[in-house]
Amino acid sequence: MAKENNKSESFEATLFKTADKLRKNMDAAEYKHIVMGLIFLKYISDSFEVLHAKLMEGKGDLKGADPEDPDEYRADNVFFVPSLARWSYLHSRAKQQSIGKDIDEAMEAIEKENPTLKGILPKVYARPNLDKAALGGLIDLIGNIAIGTEAAKSKDILGRVYEYFLGEFASAEGKKGGQFYTPKSIVRLMVEMIEPYKGRVYDPACGSGGMFIMSEKFVEEHKGKLDDISIYGQESNQTTYRLCRMNLALHSIDGSQVKWNNEGSFLNDAHKDLKADFILANPPFNDSDWSGELLQTDGRWKYGAPSAGNANFAWLQHMIYHLSPKGVMACVLANGSLSSQSSNEGEIRKQLIDNDLVDCIVGLPKQLFYNTGIPACIWFISRKRLGNGDRKRTGEILFIDANETGYMTDRTHRAFNEDDVAQLASTYHKWRSKNGLLARGAQASKYKDIKGFCKSASMDEIRKHNYVLTPGRYVGIEEQEDDGIPFEKKMAGFLGELKEQIAAEKRLNKEIEKQLSNIGFKLE
């Protein structure tokens, strides 16, 4: 399996590098929509062609069906693709100067035939600054993805390529890239910890939809039913919203309850009555431009009015407001949220703790995010702390310090591997579990505190720390293994080394003084 993963990563990386060469002088943020739109177009065309071929054969239940009837495709949850928008037709015209105009017209035609895609697809291909020869090369490149006859294989490869490209564009865009993409390993950790197995999943700052994709993958990997979860989301950036809707459609996920408005979740909540079973979010860190001054008396601020200059506790309370009576949530925030005492933030944090909502805090290592070097953490909030399948854990909070976890993917970016995610998630599940049983009956060893890594802290300990939730305060420093050498002997060795270094320094100083004297300079 590892070999297969390495091979697919190599294929995706090679593909991205080739596509990036065709970008030439175009900005990555602009080029992103051109590439992602073409990948999506290839996907829906491939899916259409598979069903079209079956309708042409006209066997069994399909006998007498019209291959050009859009209703035949809608009945099978397949997008109908008009002839002028089919990949084979566009590919045949890839070398013509009109190809940009052809693709824009294809996108218009697809939206016209498929109302759920209205306003979603990019129509940016006829713009003058897009080199048409490079566009033709990009069409050739994407045309070679997912060679084969199996629809499932085609869908899987194109889905992986789309996700991989999102991550690479986020890395290329740096700070702006973080606005639409949360690194995959962080999403994986959050999903594995809260286990969105059945119910309503909500993300009020959903970006390109990674939380939803990973939730569906979690259900599939654990042999659940995809029909058992439904997704709800909101995004204020329209171009990011389009990326999200294409991403969901490409993974055959119903995105009808993912909404866009430019006011955002605070000013114009698109899901006012929603009570979600699972909430996953990575909202903007320390956002000062959230219109907080207009919302100081809002009903969502049950635990205190958040600072107008920082949205961290507004996001937490907005999500808690939308949490069902047995719901759980995971929210990425800047580390400042764990200790800040300014602008009522310390009091709100105290209220969340005293109301027994905070279940777990995970301190994250640096360099996980593309858009910021600010240290971050994940807040886990739960309304299930009385039990409900797990053990009763009121009056306790689990602290996990993951600062030393993960590996460097390159000189500037860190990630978690599967073992890292498994270790962090299983620590939380063991702590939560009743009688050593994990979800779905899996047996587990009992939870225990590990110095420097995890600690189950009581309310008395938390009050002693003035309600500051920084994990390092609770987990302590990892114990060093005793090497058996007595302290006096170690100290004697250190003093011997120091004596040698002082003597060496004297010799070097004399040599420097001598050489300066030889060229006519003297130290006073």
Side-chain angles (χ1 to χ4, degrees):
M1 182 63 75
K3 286 183 180 177
E4 277 185 25
N5 287 340
N6 290 336
K7 188 176 179 182
S8 70
E9 286 170 9
S10 175
F11 160 69
E12 291 151 12
T14 303
L15 195 67
F16 182 82
K17 285 174 185 173
T18 308
D20 200 44
K21 283 178 186 174
L22 295 167
R23 173 160 69 97
K24 297 185 177 177
N25 296 323
M26 185 173 285
D27 184 76
E30 190 178 11
Y31 189 61
K32 170 178 80 246
H33 299 287
I34 289 162
V35 177
M36 306 314 269
L38 286 178
I39 294 172
F40 181 73
L41 183 60
K42 175 70 163 63
Y43 162 70
I44 62 171
S45 187
D46 280 4
S47 300
F48 169 86
E49 292 291 356
V50 169
L51 183 52
H52 186 267
K54 289 179 181 177
L55 292 168
M56 289 290 286
E57 281 184 49
K59 291 182 179 178
D61 293 341
L62 300 177
K63 191 172 182 179
D66 179 3
E68 297 299 325
D69 181 359
D71 288 337
E72 294 288 351
Y73 298 86
R74 292 185 190 115
D76 222 36
N77 291 318
V78 172
F79 294 112
F80 178 77
V81 182
S83 56
L84 64 82
R86 292 170 196 172
W87 191 265
S88 54
Y89 172 75
L90 294 170
H91 202 175
S92 71
R93 299 176 62 82
K95 299 296 185 284
Q96 297 189 23
Q97 279 297 304
S98 64
I99 185 59
K101 183 172 175 286
D102 293 338
I103 296 174
D104 282 350
E105 289 176 352
M107 297 293 190
E108 292 275 9
I110 290 169
E111 286 190 351
K112 188 175 179 180
E113 292 288 352
N114 303 277
T116 59
L117 294 177
K118 186 170 178 59
I120 301 299
L121 305 184
K123 292 167 276 290
V124 293
Y125 299 90
R127 57 175 62 179
N129 68 329
L130 179 55
D131 181 275
K132 299 306 179 281
L135 179 57
L138 193 58
I139 291 169
D140 284 340
L141 181 70
I142 292 171
N144 290 324
I145 300 176
I147 295 171
T149 56
E150 297 176 36
K153 179 183 175 186
S154 172
K155 172 183 153 185
D156 182 53
I157 292 174
L158 282 161
R160 288 206 323 266
V161 167
Y162 193 96
E163 288 180 67
Y164 184 86
F165 274 40
L166 277 174
E168 291 301 303
F169 278 121
S171 180
E173 290 183 52
K175 188 171 183 178
K176 288 183 179 178
Q179 295 172 2
F180 68 84
Y181 184 80
T182 302
K184 193 173 179 180
S185 62
I186 301 171
V187 180
R188 177 91 189 187
L189 173 63
M190 293 165 73
V191 168
E192 287 291 334
M193 286 183 74
I194 75 168
E195 300 184 307
Y197 201 61
K198 186 176 184 177
R200 297 171 297 274
V201 180
Y202 175 53
D203 182 348
C206 65
S208 54
M211 302 289 184
F212 301 134
I213 305 298
M214 194 63 75
S215 296
E216 293 264 345
K217 283 183 180 176
F218 174 85
V219 174
E220 285 179 339
E221 288 172 6
H222 292 81
K223 311 301 181 190
K225 296 178 182 177
L226 291 179
D227 289 345
D228 284 346
I229 70 168
S230 52
I231 65 166
Y232 299 81
Q234 186 164 348
E235 174 56 44
S236 61
N237 183 300
Q238 191 174 33
T239 53
T240 300
Y241 165 74
R242 288 170 178 163
L243 285 175
C244 176
R245 288 296 303 271
M246 285 193 290
N247 197 9
L248 295 175
L250 199 146
H251 286 86
S252 301
I253 298 172
D254 177 14
S256 60
Q257 291 302 317
V258 176
K259 307 294 185 181
W260 166 80
N261 61 59
N262 57 17
E263 298 100 327
S265 293
F266 292 133
L267 287 176
N268 188 356
D269 188 351
H271 301 285
K272 289 183 176 65
D273 299 323
L274 173 69
K275 295 299 178 186
D277 302 291
F278 304 96
I279 298 178
L280 294 143
N282 174 27
F285 289 1
N286 301 327
D287 186 8
S288 61
D289 188 26
W290 68 282
S291 303
E293 67 281 355
L294 303 177
L295 298 166
Q296 288 301 292
T297 59
D298 195 280
R300 286 169 288 185
W301 316 147
K302 183 177 177 182
Y303 304 99
S307 165
N310 190 317
N312 287 342
F313 284 93
W315 282 116
L316 277 179
Q317 292 191 83
H318 172 81
M319 293 178 213
I320 292 168
Y321 174 82
H322 280 293
L323 205 57
S324 72
K326 293 182 181 179
V328 292
M329 63 174 259
C331 177
V332 183
L333 288 177
N335 269 5
S337 63
L338 302 174
S339 58
S340 170
Q341 301 293 344
S342 63
S343 302
N344 204 36
E345 291 181 346
E347 182 57 31
I348 297 172
R349 186 171 56 249
K350 178 180 181 298
Q351 288 297 320
L352 296 179
I353 295 167
D354 284 343
N355 280 275
D356 216 48
L357 288 165
V358 183
D359 205 36
C360 174
I361 300 289
V362 176
L364 297 172
K366 294 178 182 177
Q367 298 178 287
L368 280 175
F369 297 89
Y370 297 128
N371 60 325
T372 180
I374 296 172
C377 60
I378 308 176
W379 286 66
F380 290 87
I381 301 285
S382 177
R383 293 193 191 277
K384 295 175 63 177
R385 285 162 58 78
L386 283 170
N388 300 310
D390 298 319
R391 72 177 181 85
K392 182 180 178 181
R393 54 197 186 280
T394 54
E396 300 173 52
I397 296 176
L398 175 66
F399 293 92
I400 300 176
D401 189 339
N403 271 300
E404 301 301 319
T405 308
Y407 68 100
M408 298 302 292
T409 59
D410 55 41
R411 289 177 63 190
T412 55
H413 296 127
R414 180 181 289 272
F416 295 140
N417 61 29
E418 289 297 315
D419 290 341
D420 296 328
V421 171
Q423 180 197 24
L424 294 167
S426 67
T427 299
Y428 177 54
H429 295 314
K430 286 176 189 176
W431 175 77
R432 241 175 43 173
S433 71
K434 185 188 293 183
N435 302 322
L437 286 176
L438 297 184
R440 294 171 296 283
Q443 196 71 35
S445 57
K446 286 191 174 181
Y447 167 84
K448 63 178 181 179
D449 292 339
I450 300 173
K451 196 127 182 170
F453 177 64
C454 62
K455 164 77 174 178
S456 181
S458 69
M459 291 311 254
D460 285 342
E461 292 175 90
I462 292 161
R463 289 188 190 102
K464 193 187 299 181
H465 287 287
N466 198 27
Y467 291 90
V468 168
L469 297 179
T470 307
R473 291 198 176 204
Y474 300 92
V475 303
I477 299 169
E478 183 180 1
E479 290 182 353
Q480 299 297 315
E481 191 173 328
D482 187 359
D483 57 12
I485 302 171
F487 173 76
E488 291 77 9
K489 190 173 181 180
K490 279 185 183 178
M491 200 62 195
F494 292 147
L495 290 172
E497 286 179 24
L498 180 61
K499 189 176 179 180
E500 287 177 11
Q501 288 168 0
I502 290 170
E505 182 185 15
K506 285 181 179 178
R507 288 194 302 271
L508 285 170
N509 287 340
K510 282 183 180 179
E511 182 63 27
I512 291 167
E513 193 171 348
K514 178 183 173 184
Q515 295 301 328
L516 285 170
S517 179
N518 289 340
I519 58 174
F521 293 97
K522 286 189 176 182
L523 291 173
E524 295 296 333

mmCIF file of all heavy atoms in Angstrom, residues 130-154:
data_model
loop_
_atom_site.group_PDB
_atom_site.id
_atom_site.type_symbol
_atom_site.label_atom_id
_atom_site.label_comp_id
_atom_site.label_asym_id
_atom_site.label_seq_id
_atom_site.Cartn_x
_atom_site.Cartn_y
_atom_site.Cartn_z
ATOM 1 N N LEU A 130 -4.282 35.338 -21.087
ATOM 2 C CA LEU A 130 -4.085 33.887 -21.027
ATOM 3 C C LEU A 130 -3.551 33.396 -22.368
ATOM 4 O O LEU A 130 -4.251 33.451 -23.386
ATOM 5 C CB LEU A 130 -5.411 33.191 -20.684
ATOM 6 C CG LEU A 130 -5.384 31.662 -20.608
ATOM 7 C CD1 LEU A 130 -4.317 31.172 -19.641
ATOM 8 C CD2 LEU A 130 -6.753 31.124 -20.189
ATOM 9 N N ASP A 131 -2.312 32.940 -22.359
ATOM 10 C CA ASP A 131 -1.676 32.453 -23.577
ATOM 11 C C ASP A 131 -2.424 31.219 -24.094
ATOM 12 O O ASP A 131 -2.547 30.216 -23.388
ATOM 13 C CB ASP A 131 -0.215 32.111 -23.273
ATOM 14 C CG ASP A 131 0.534 31.629 -24.493
ATOM 15 O OD1 ASP A 131 0.459 30.429 -24.793
ATOM 16 O OD2 ASP A 131 1.188 32.464 -25.147
ATOM 17 N N LYS A 132 -2.911 31.296 -25.327
ATOM 18 C CA LYS A 132 -3.756 30.225 -25.871
ATOM 19 C C LYS A 132 -2.960 28.948 -26.148
ATOM 20 O O LYS A 132 -3.495 27.847 -26.051
ATOM 21 C CB LYS A 132 -4.477 30.703 -27.135
ATOM 22 C CG LYS A 132 -5.406 31.911 -26.887
ATOM 23 C CD LYS A 132 -6.407 31.637 -25.768
ATOM 24 C CE LYS A 132 -7.326 32.814 -25.487
ATOM 25 N NZ LYS A 132 -6.706 33.878 -24.686
ATOM 26 N N ALA A 133 -1.672 29.094 -26.494
ATOM 27 C CA ALA A 133 -0.841 27.901 -26.692
ATOM 28 C C ALA A 133 -0.649 27.171 -25.362
ATOM 29 O O ALA A 133 -0.719 25.935 -25.294
ATOM 30 C CB ALA A 133 0.510 28.299 -27.287
ATOM 31 N N ALA A 134 -0.447 27.949 -24.277
ATOM 32 C CA ALA A 134 -0.309 27.350 -22.949
ATOM 33 C C ALA A 134 -1.614 26.689 -22.515
ATOM 34 O O ALA A 134 -1.613 25.613 -21.907
ATOM 35 C CB ALA A 134 0.109 28.407 -21.934
ATOM 36 N N LEU A 135 -2.745 27.328 -22.839
ATOM 37 C CA LEU A 135 -4.049 26.751 -22.512
ATOM 38 C C LEU A 135 -4.249 25.421 -23.243
ATOM 39 O O LEU A 135 -4.719 24.439 -22.657
ATOM 40 C CB LEU A 135 -5.167 27.733 -22.886
ATOM 41 C CG LEU A 135 -6.603 27.273 -22.639
ATOM 42 C CD1 LEU A 135 -6.820 26.894 -21.176
ATOM 43 C CD2 LEU A 135 -7.591 28.365 -23.057
ATOM 44 N N GLY A 136 -3.843 25.387 -24.511
ATOM 45 C CA GLY A 136 -3.929 24.134 -25.266
ATOM 46 C C GLY A 136 -3.070 23.047 -24.652
ATOM 47 O O GLY A 136 -3.473 21.880 -24.567
ATOM 48 N N GLY A 137 -1.878 23.433 -24.190
ATOM 49 C CA GLY A 137 -0.998 22.459 -23.533
ATOM 50 C C GLY A 137 -1.605 21.932 -22.247
ATOM 51 O O GLY A 137 -1.468 20.747 -21.909
ATOM 52 N N LEU A 138 -2.293 22.815 -21.515
ATOM 53 C CA LEU A 138 -2.952 22.412 -20.271
ATOM 54 C C LEU A 138 -4.092 21.430 -20.560
ATOM 55 O O LEU A 138 -4.279 20.450 -19.831
ATOM 56 C CB LEU A 138 -3.476 23.656 -19.565
ATOM 57 C CG LEU A 138 -3.937 23.531 -18.116
ATOM 58 C CD1 LEU A 138 -2.815 23.004 -17.239
ATOM 59 C CD2 LEU A 138 -4.412 24.881 -17.603
ATOM 60 N N ILE A 139 -4.834 21.676 -21.615
ATOM 61 C CA ILE A 139 -5.920 20.759 -22.005
ATOM 62 C C ILE A 139 -5.351 19.394 -22.372
ATOM 63 O O ILE A 139 -5.891 18.346 -21.982
ATOM 64 C CB ILE A 139 -6.732 21.360 -23.175
ATOM 65 C CG1 ILE A 139 -7.515 22.582 -22.694
ATOM 66 C CG2 ILE A 139 -7.687 20.327 -23.763
ATOM 67 C CD1 ILE A 139 -8.131 23.399 -23.795
ATOM 68 N N ASP A 140 -4.234 19.386 -23.112
ATOM 69 C CA ASP A 140 -3.581 18.106 -23.451
ATOM 70 C C ASP A 140 -3.164 17.369 -22.179
ATOM 71 O O ASP A 140 -3.350 16.155 -22.053
ATOM 72 C CB ASP A 140 -2.337 18.361 -24.315
ATOM 73 C CG ASP A 140 -2.686 18.708 -25.759
ATOM 74 O OD1 ASP A 140 -3.813 18.387 -26.191
ATOM 75 O OD2 ASP A 140 -1.839 19.308 -26.440
ATOM 76 N N LEU A 141 -2.592 18.112 -21.237
ATOM 77 C CA LEU A 141 -2.099 17.508 -19.997
ATOM 78 C C LEU A 141 -3.246 16.890 -19.202
ATOM 79 O O LEU A 141 -3.187 15.724 -18.782
ATOM 80 C CB LEU A 141 -1.396 18.577 -19.166
ATOM 81 C CG LEU A 141 -0.791 18.143 -17.830
ATOM 82 C CD1 LEU A 141 0.412 17.252 -18.065
ATOM 83 C CD2 LEU A 141 -0.395 19.358 -17.001
ATOM 84 N N ILE A 142 -4.308 17.675 -18.983
ATOM 85 C CA ILE A 142 -5.447 17.186 -18.194
ATOM 86 C C ILE A 142 -6.197 16.091 -18.949
ATOM 87 O O ILE A 142 -6.768 15.178 -18.346
ATOM 88 C CB ILE A 142 -6.370 18.363 -17.825
ATOM 89 C CG1 ILE A 142 -5.637 19.284 -16.829
ATOM 90 C CG2 ILE A 142 -7.686 17.892 -17.208
ATOM 91 C CD1 ILE A 142 -6.316 20.593 -16.537
ATOM 92 N N GLY A 143 -6.154 16.147 -20.262
ATOM 93 C CA GLY A 143 -6.811 15.111 -21.062
ATOM 94 C C GLY A 143 -6.236 13.728 -20.848
ATOM 95 O O GLY A 143 -6.896 12.715 -21.121
ATOM 96 N N ASN A 144 -5.002 13.656 -20.338
ATOM 97 C CA ASN A 144 -4.363 12.358 -20.108
ATOM 98 C C ASN A 144 -4.582 11.826 -18.698
ATOM 99 O O ASN A 144 -4.106 10.755 -18.350
ATOM 100 C CB ASN A 144 -2.855 12.463 -20.369
ATOM 101 C CG ASN A 144 -2.557 12.648 -21.838
ATOM 102 O OD1 ASN A 144 -3.240 12.087 -22.688
ATOM 103 N ND2 ASN A 144 -1.546 13.452 -22.152
ATOM 104 N N ILE A 145 -5.294 12.588 -17.868
ATOM 105 C CA ILE A 145 -5.593 12.106 -16.512
ATOM 106 C C ILE A 145 -6.700 11.069 -16.582
ATOM 107 O O ILE A 145 -7.653 11.189 -17.348
ATOM 108 C CB ILE A 145 -6.061 13.258 -15.599
ATOM 109 C CG1 ILE A 145 -4.986 14.335 -15.491
ATOM 110 C CG2 ILE A 145 -6.406 12.742 -14.201
ATOM 111 C CD1 ILE A 145 -5.420 15.546 -14.692
ATOM 112 N N ALA A 146 -6.581 10.056 -15.758
ATOM 113 C CA ALA A 146 -7.647 9.061 -15.589
ATOM 114 C C ALA A 146 -7.907 8.267 -16.852
ATOM 115 O O ALA A 146 -9.044 8.042 -17.238
ATOM 116 C CB ALA A 146 -8.934 9.739 -15.122
ATOM 117 N N ILE A 147 -6.815 7.864 -17.507
ATOM 118 C CA ILE A 147 -6.984 6.987 -18.673
ATOM 119 C C ILE A 147 -7.504 5.644 -18.171
ATOM 120 O O ILE A 147 -6.997 5.072 -17.228
ATOM 121 C CB ILE A 147 -5.642 6.818 -19.406
ATOM 122 C CG1 ILE A 147 -5.210 8.167 -19.993
ATOM 123 C CG2 ILE A 147 -5.727 5.762 -20.475
ATOM 124 C CD1 ILE A 147 -3.816 8.184 -20.542
ATOM 125 N N GLY A 148 -8.495 5.116 -18.802
ATOM 126 C CA GLY A 148 -9.112 3.856 -18.378
ATOM 127 C C GLY A 148 -10.607 3.927 -18.543
ATOM 128 O O GLY A 148 -11.166 4.989 -18.751
ATOM 129 N N THR A 149 -11.259 2.795 -18.423
ATOM 130 C CA THR A 149 -12.694 2.746 -18.694
ATOM 131 C C THR A 149 -13.537 2.746 -17.432
ATOM 132 O O THR A 149 -14.734 2.959 -17.489
ATOM 133 C CB THR A 149 -13.025 1.479 -19.499
ATOM 134 O OG1 THR A 149 -12.543 0.343 -18.773
ATOM 135 C CG2 THR A 149 -12.347 1.524 -20.865
ATOM 136 N N GLU A 150 -12.922 2.507 -16.267
ATOM 137 C CA GLU A 150 -13.725 2.421 -15.047
ATOM 138 C C GLU A 150 -14.050 3.810 -14.518
ATOM 139 O O GLU A 150 -13.163 4.599 -14.222
ATOM 140 C CB GLU A 150 -12.967 1.637 -13.966
ATOM 141 C CG GLU A 150 -12.690 0.189 -14.353
ATOM 142 C CD GLU A 150 -11.850 -0.488 -13.290
ATOM 143 O OE1 GLU A 150 -12.056 -0.179 -12.106
ATOM 144 O OE2 GLU A 150 -10.999 -1.301 -13.642
ATOM 145 N N ALA A 151 -15.330 4.091 -14.393
ATOM 146 C CA ALA A 151 -15.765 5.420 -13.922
ATOM 147 C C ALA A 151 -15.235 5.696 -12.519
ATOM 148 O O ALA A 151 -14.811 6.809 -12.209
ATOM 149 C CB ALA A 151 -17.287 5.505 -13.932
ATOM 150 N N ALA A 152 -15.275 4.681 -11.662
ATOM 151 C CA ALA A 152 -14.829 4.870 -10.281
ATOM 152 C C ALA A 152 -13.351 5.239 -10.236
ATOM 153 O O ALA A 152 -12.933 6.122 -9.481
ATOM 154 C CB ALA A 152 -15.077 3.604 -9.464
ATOM 155 N N LYS A 153 -12.550 4.581 -11.084
ATOM 156 C CA LYS A 153 -11.123 4.871 -11.135
ATOM 157 C C LYS A 153 -10.897 6.297 -11.612
ATOM 158 O O LYS A 153 -10.110 7.059 -11.055
ATOM 159 C CB LYS A 153 -10.432 3.884 -12.065
ATOM 160 C CG LYS A 153 -8.934 4.104 -12.215
ATOM 161 C CD LYS A 153 -8.353 3.120 -13.214
ATOM 162 C CE LYS A 153 -6.872 3.421 -13.463
ATOM 163 N NZ LYS A 153 -6.311 2.573 -14.522
ATOM 164 N N SER A 154 -11.630 6.674 -12.638
ATOM 165 C CA SER A 154 -11.514 8.022 -13.191
ATOM 166 C C SER A 154 -11.859 9.063 -12.140
ATOM 167 O O SER A 154 -11.145 10.041 -11.941
ATOM 168 C CB SER A 154 -12.451 8.164 -14.400
ATOM 169 O OG SER A 154 -12.506 9.491 -14.831
#
